[in-house]
Amino acid sequence: MTGMAKSVFNMLEKVFAAEIENRLPYQTKSKLAVEMEEFGYLEFGSERKGIVSVSGYYLTHAGRLAYCEECRDVEVPND
């Protein structure tokens, strides 16, 4: 990882994992998530799940792209 702070990458990874595991929105009260929303990587929203409304964060296209671009720099060991 070379381009972004590890904390930003970790947050993107958590929201990405929630997305592919269909656990959206990703719920957190992290100040970093608010900063990442201001930067355009995350978007705050809510979703109804039955009678409950759940609020949290979703990846934006910019967040998805930033995460995927950063993953290209990670070396995968050969099996």
Side-chain angles (χ1 to χ4, degrees):
M1 220 173 24
T2 57
M4 72 174 58
K6 187 170 179 73
S7 59
V8 172
F9 178 79
N10 288 340
M11 179 66 73
L12 288 173
E13 187 169 51
K14 289 175 185 177
V15 181
F16 184 80
E19 183 176 286
I20 62 173
E21 294 170 2
N22 200 26
R23 296 184 288 116
L24 286 176
Y26 179 75
Q27 296 180 297
T28 182
K29 293 186 180 204
S30 165
K31 291 180 183 178
L32 178 60
V34 174
E35 292 172 15
M36 291 174 65
E37 180 183 18
E38 291 170 2
F39 196 70
Y41 285 161
L42 299 177
E43 179 177 41
F44 189 82
S46 60
E47 186 173 310
R48 283 192 71 82
K49 303 212 181 221
I51 61 171
V52 177
S53 183
V54 181
S55 298
Y57 291 91
Y58 299 86
L59 284 174
T60 62
H61 292 303
R64 231 176 262 108
L65 180 62
Y67 176 70
C68 291
E69 285 293 321
E70 197 69 19
C71 287
R72 290 182 183 188
D73 295 338
V74 176
E75 291 186 24
V76 178
N78 295 334
D79 292 331

